[in-house]
Amino acid sequence: ICRAGLSVRGVPDLHLALSGPATGTVVAYLYDVNPLGIGKLVSHAPLTWQATPDTVDVPLQVTAFDLPAGHKLAVVVDTKDPLYLDADTRDSTVTFRSGSWLDLPTR
């Protein structure tokens, strides 16, 4: 929970350590979550790979966003989004491992 507010300026970069199929897609979302648990989309981006990766970097869309005091940021990662085509294999599994992190540009 952010106690004093936070200014996010730039490109948030999500670094994912994963294991999964040779080809696949993830869509990452960054949300502002208020004290009632209601989220508002701050940024998002899809990423598709064509060879089995150990890690992927997902640069989210550039943003200029002020996170109010008392709110928190949430990261959501999915493999399907109706706005994007995907390279997912039916019934495949993507596993996120330790070593995943978010680089958040602040000022």
Side-chain angles (χ1 to χ4, degrees):
I1 296 177
C2 184
R3 299 197 191 286
L6 184 68
S7 295
V8 179
R9 301 288 187 271
V11 178
D13 188 35
L14 182 61
H15 179 83
L16 298 172
L18 57 84
S19 58
T23 61
T25 300
V26 292
V27 184
Y29 308 88
L30 182 63
Y31 285 96
D32 161 18
V33 181
N34 72 18
L36 297 175
I38 298 170
K40 179 169 68 171
L41 186 63
V42 174
S43 185
H44 76 287
L47 180 93
T48 297
W49 63 87
Q50 298 296 325
T52 306
D54 288 329
T55 60
V56 294
D57 286 313
V58 186
L60 281 70
Q61 293 177 352
V62 66
T63 189
F65 180 77
D66 294 318
L67 184 71
H71 288 216
K72 57 187 170 184
L73 288 173
V75 175
V76 176
V77 181
D78 203 345
T79 58
K80 298 285 185 196
D81 185 309
L83 294 177
Y84 302 104
L85 295 175
D86 63 73
D88 296 322
T89 306
R90 185 179 176 108
D91 297 324
S92 64
T93 301
V94 176
T95 303
F96 301 102
R97 299 186 323 265
S98 172
S100 298
W101 47 270
L102 175 67
D103 182 16
L104 192 63
T106 61
R107 67 172 180 119

